[in-house]
Structure formats: C-alpha cells, structure tokens
Amino acid sequence: MSEQAVQIRTGGKILQSPCGPIIHGLEDVLIKNTSISDIDGDKGILWYRGYRIEDLAQHSTYEEVSYLILYGKLPTKKDFEDYVSRLRKNRDLRPETIEVIRNLAKAHPMFALEAAVAAEGAYDEDNHKLAEALRLGRYKAEEKELAYKIAEKLVAKMPTIVAYHYRLSRNLDIVKPREDLSHSANFLYMMFGKEPDPLAVRGIDLYLMLHADHEVPASTFTAHVVASTLSDLYSAVAAAVAALKGPLHGGANEMAVRSYLEIGDPSKARDVVEAATKPGGPKLMGVGHRVYKAYDPRAKIFREFSKNYVAKFGDPKNLYAIASAIEHEVLNHPYFQQRRLYPNVDFWSGIAFYYMGVPYEYFTPIFAVSRVVGWVAHILEYWENNRIFRPRACYVGPHDLQYVPIEQR
Ligand code: CMC
C-alpha cells in the first residue's frame, strides 16, 4: 500500500526509519470500523452507541449502559429485566478461581484480577467450545450466542473477583453476592459486608458508566490483538487487564490519589506542576490524553461528583483541595496550554472512592470491572471480520554475522 493510500490523521509523532516513517505509538492509526463508542478529542465529547455520556450518566445505570454497549441498543423493559436477572445469577465464582485469589491475597489486586480471569476461563466449558468453533472457522448464530453468554458472565463476575480479593487480603470471610442488589450496590456490599450508602452506590455506578468504553486505548487494543489470534475470550480480557494496570493508562487513577496524599497541602501545587514541566520531570498523573485535546468530558462529571461528595462528607486529607489547586495551575501554565494537556478521567475519579473507604490499589481494578464490557464488545465486533494483528518492525541491526563458538569469544 502506498504511503498516500494510508489514511493517517496524525499530527503526532513520526519516527524516521530506513524502511519508512514509523507512527510512534500508533497515534491516530485506524484498526477497524466500530459502532461502539466515538470520541471527539477536539471538542471533548464521548458517545456510547450514539448517546452522549452526559445523558447516560444522568439518566441511566451501569446495568443499562453495559447492555447498550454489548447489544448496540437500549433495552426494552423485558430485555433489561432478563439481562439483569442473568447477570445476577452469574455473579459467583468457581472454587478454583477463589483459590487463585486466596493465593494472591497479598499481591496487588490487578495481578489477582489477571490470574482470576484466566482461571475462570480455564474451567469454563463454554469458553473452550467457542474457541474450538472459532478455530474451525465457525462464527455463526450459535457461536455468537455463546460469545454473548460468556461476555455476560465476564461482566457479572469481575466485581466479585475484586471484592473477594479485598476481603481475603484483609483476612476477612468473603461475602457472597446478593441477587436483590444492583451491580454497583452488590459490589459495595460484597466489599464491605453491609448495605451501602446510596451516594456511594451512585458514585460507583457513575464511575462504572463513565469507564465502560473508550474506543481503542492500549487495553482494548491488547484485547483485539489476543482475540485476533483466536486465543479465547477470557485470555483476551486477562491480557487487557494487564495493559490497563500501567500508570500511563488505567493505573493513573491510583497514582493520582497517591500523589495528592504525598503532596498533602494545596499550597505545594505550583511547585509540583512546575516540576512536571522540566525535561525528565515526573509526569502529572491524571493529566494529558492521546485523543482528548480538550477537557475530558468524564473528568468534568467526576469533578462535579467529587465536589458534591466532599461538600457532604468533608475533605480531611485535602484531596479535592489539592486536585483543584493542581488543576488551576495546569490550566494556566503555558507548558500545558501549548501541548493541550488537560485533566483526564483519572484526575478526579479516585477522590470519592478514597473517602468511601476503597483503598487506592482497588481503583484500577474497579476501572476493569467497568471496562470489561467494552473489551468484550470490541472483541465480538472484531470477530465479525477477524484478521490476525501482525505489524512489522524495521530491522536496523547487522546481518550475516559469523557464529563464534563460546570458547573462542
Ligand atoms: N505531565 C507532564 N507532561 C506531560 C504529561 C503529563 N501528565 N502528559 C503529556 N505530557 C507532555 C509530554 O512530555 C510531551 O511533551 P514534549 O512534546 O515536550 O515531549 C507532550 O506532553 C505530549 O505527550 P506524549 O507523552 O507524547 O503524549 P501521549 O499521547 O503519548 O501520552 C498520556 C498520553 C496519557 C500517556 C500522557 O499524557 C501521560 O503520560 N499522562 C499521565 C498519565 C495518565 O494520566 N494516564 C491516563 C490517561 S487517560 C485514562 C486512561 O487511559 O486510563
């Protein structure tokens, strides 16, 4: 394909190589058509299946949004009730998975999540049946039905993995899921073992709705790469969890709150922001985005939620005050203005969680609890027209060196 024929929107970073230009970090490279989500990075707009996230955040729930993302349309009342009932019945984990979590109880929960997702997949007959059908080139109505069944199981079980890890890491008995509670209320109930506060439920539900999909960030791309090899659905999700963990991606929500705790006082914001502008300085966690060159619309919603939350429950660790002071410096600093760097979703999202008593190591796992629906929806979409991902690298080392036996080196 000629260079001109490749549709590249990038104004971004191109590396030169003897083989041609390298689009560093695949910036703006298109990998497929999608009808799942869309981002207008210049205006700061995000749509799921055509709906603005502000509308969904105000009127919907994670259960409805996850249905929308998975099935492509808002459910009828009957479809919704059936879907919710299936999710609720699928919440618990198999004993082998619980053992895996128990064995990793002292590890960071993202490691446990990767392993537990793989463990659920290893023992799920539906998963093997689907992988075998795909291997034989069959992806018709029957296989698609199976794929959606597995997708729902993944959506249903992710909160349970995270909550069980939280309990076991603290030497507490696990709290079994309850079928009479919503996705978010049940999650908090399994974590803390008591009926959750309605504002906390709303906070988790908002978080889950706003993280449900985001086109193809690193984790979703990873899920595509693994699924494109016809590995299996659970393995693709486990790999996506691994990619999400990094501080440049989903791990930034944990790092942002940890940095606010270390900073401790809003008066230090100016120095912290200044340090981030120096070559080799520490990047500000929760600031900047590959696609948004405007304020992240999700961050706006969390800023408001955090403001209301601390107005009601207080800000004893100054987290909201520090984040506000950093935001002020960032928005007024020429370094960030010239590069069009704004707070992103991870900048504000952890503050209310922290005050709800959710330890910061669980922030990124909760991101995964939400994003799993986006990952599986994208995999199912890609399998409609699958082709293995296999890019190239430009080799710049020597060729045809003569092998020298070890004794002679
Ligand atoms: N602090 C200071 N400088 C920054 C920051 C930051 N947070 N983000 C970007 N820059 C600078 C960067 O050094 C570069 O400067 P220069 O042009 O002088 O070399 C310029 O801005 C462009 O940045 P980039 O690294 O080329 O941008 P990217 O598209 O490759 O990376 C990013 C995007 C999100 C990884 C990056 O902005 C970053 O590391 N932010 C902090 C981590 C973070 O908040 N991640 C969460 C992302 S959003 C939600 C999610 O994915 O989970």
Side-chain angles (χ1 to χ4, degrees):
M1 193 187 289
S2 77
E3 221 176 282
Q4 287 80 3
V6 180
Q7 290 297 308
I8 299 168
R9 292 176 293 174
T10 188
K13 298 180 177 176
I14 308 279
L15 302 179
Q16 293 311 322
S17 87
C19 318
I22 292 172
I23 301 157
H24 205 194
L26 299 184
E27 181 166 356
D28 285 337
V29 171
L30 305 175
I31 64 155
K32 66 169 188 178
N33 291 323
T34 185
S35 56
I36 301 174
S37 62
D38 191 22
I39 303 169
D40 184 326
D42 286 319
K43 296 199 181 112
I45 306 175
L46 171 61
W47 297 263
Y48 295 161
R49 301 284 191 185
Y51 296 93
R52 292 276 279 253
I53 50 136
E54 291 83 358
D55 270 355
L56 294 169
Q58 195 181 345
H59 301 295
S60 192
T61 60
Y62 180 73
E63 280 151 323
E64 191 179 52
V65 164
S66 62
Y67 182 99
L68 171 69
I69 286 178
L70 205 48
Y71 291 101
K73 56 182 185 353
L74 285 171
T76 61
K77 203 162 181 299
K78 167 88 172 67
D79 287 346
F80 183 66
E81 282 166 5
D82 291 349
Y83 173 69
V84 166
S85 151
R86 290 194 301 273
L87 286 187
R88 292 180 185 198
K89 284 189 172 46
N90 265 317
R91 281 175 176 163
D92 210 352
L93 308 176
R94 59 190 76 237
E96 295 89 341
T97 309
I98 299 175
E99 274 319 294
V100 167
I101 301 170
R102 199 184 300 282
N103 285 327
L104 291 172
K106 298 297 168 202
H108 191 287
M110 285 301 274
F111 285 103
L113 191 53
E114 281 172 51
V117 169
E120 272 296 313
Y123 295 110
D124 184 347
E125 279 311 314
D126 290 337
N127 190 36
H128 296 299
K129 211 168 142 193
L130 177 61
E132 180 63 2
L134 282 160
R135 188 180 69 78
L136 297 171
R138 273 202 323 265
Y139 191 57
K140 302 227 158 53
E142 197 185 321
E143 290 74 29
K144 287 179 194 173
E145 205 176 297
L146 206 50
Y148 279 98
K149 189 177 165 203
I150 299 170
E152 289 185 1
K153 286 193 236 187
L154 275 157
V155 172
K157 290 178 198 306
M158 292 288 275
T160 317
I161 298 174
V162 176
Y164 282 6
H165 186 272
Y166 171 81
R167 304 288 299 179
L168 294 170
S169 69
R170 280 148 179 82
N171 296 319
L172 298 167
D173 289 337
I174 56 176
V175 175
K176 289 280 177 182
R178 261 175 52 184
E179 284 188 27
D180 60 324
L181 294 175
S182 73
H183 201 71
S184 299
N186 174 62
F187 174 56
L188 285 171
Y189 169 73
M190 290 189 295
M191 289 265 295
F192 300 120
K194 56 179 193 243
E195 295 269 343
D197 173 77
L199 192 57
V201 175
R202 168 71 184 148
I204 295 282
D205 211 51
L206 192 61
Y207 183 94
L208 296 185
M209 281 191 274
L210 294 178
H211 285 74
D213 194 48
H214 210 227
E215 204 217 55
V216 269
S219 57
T220 312
F221 182 53
T222 303
H224 281 93
V225 172
V226 176
S228 81
T229 70
L230 303 185
S231 177
D232 71 280
L233 210 35
Y234 288 84
S235 297
V237 168
V241 171
L244 186 74
K245 179 166 138 291
L248 298 187
H249 190 7
N253 56 12
E254 171 179 342
M255 293 305 159
V257 164
R258 285 172 65 168
S259 75
Y260 307 153
L261 289 165
E262 274 162 32
I263 295 164
D265 189 322
S267 67
K268 295 189 186 148
R270 179 161 294 177
D271 290 348
V272 170
V273 171
E274 199 55 48
T277 68
K278 302 286 177 259
K283 276 186 171 176
L284 288 178
M285 288 291 122
V287 172
H289 199 276
R290 177 60 68 78
V291 182
Y292 290 120
K293 302 302 166 201
Y295 210 107
D296 181 333
R298 304 164 301 171
K300 277 189 197 162
I301 297 174
F302 279 119
R303 182 176 57 184
E304 197 56 25
F305 184 79
S306 310
K307 187 172 153 199
N308 295 335
Y309 199 90
V310 300
K312 186 164 177 204
F313 295 106
D315 189 16
K317 297 271 186 187
N318 282 329
L319 301 182
Y320 182 78
I322 292 165
S324 302
I326 295 175
E327 181 200 43
H328 177 80
E329 296 299 329
V330 164
L331 296 181
N332 290 293
H333 199 298
Y335 172 95
F336 293 92
Q337 289 171 339
Q338 281 154 13
R339 290 167 179 76
R340 301 174 74 193
L341 302 170
Y342 295 85
N344 62 51
V345 70
D346 295 320
F347 189 82
W348 296 103
S349 63
I351 295 174
F353 279 174
Y354 184 87
Y355 288 133
M356 283 173 206
V358 178
Y360 49 63
E361 314 86 83
Y362 289 86
F363 296 175
T364 317
I366 301 174
F367 191 152
V369 163
S370 164
R371 184 57 58 84
V372 64
V373 74
W375 293 330
V376 292
H378 275 282
I379 293 169
L380 271 41
E381 184 180 69
Y382 194 71
W383 275 345
E384 294 286 343
N385 185 21
N386 188 58
R387 191 165 189 229
I388 191 167
F389 280 94
R390 205 312 182 184
R392 297 293 308 270
C394 185
Y395 179 70
V396 292
H399 286 113
D400 300 333
L401 295 179
Q402 197 175 356
Y403 179 80
V404 180
I406 196 161
E407 307 76 40
Q408 293 167 32
R409 280 176 229 154

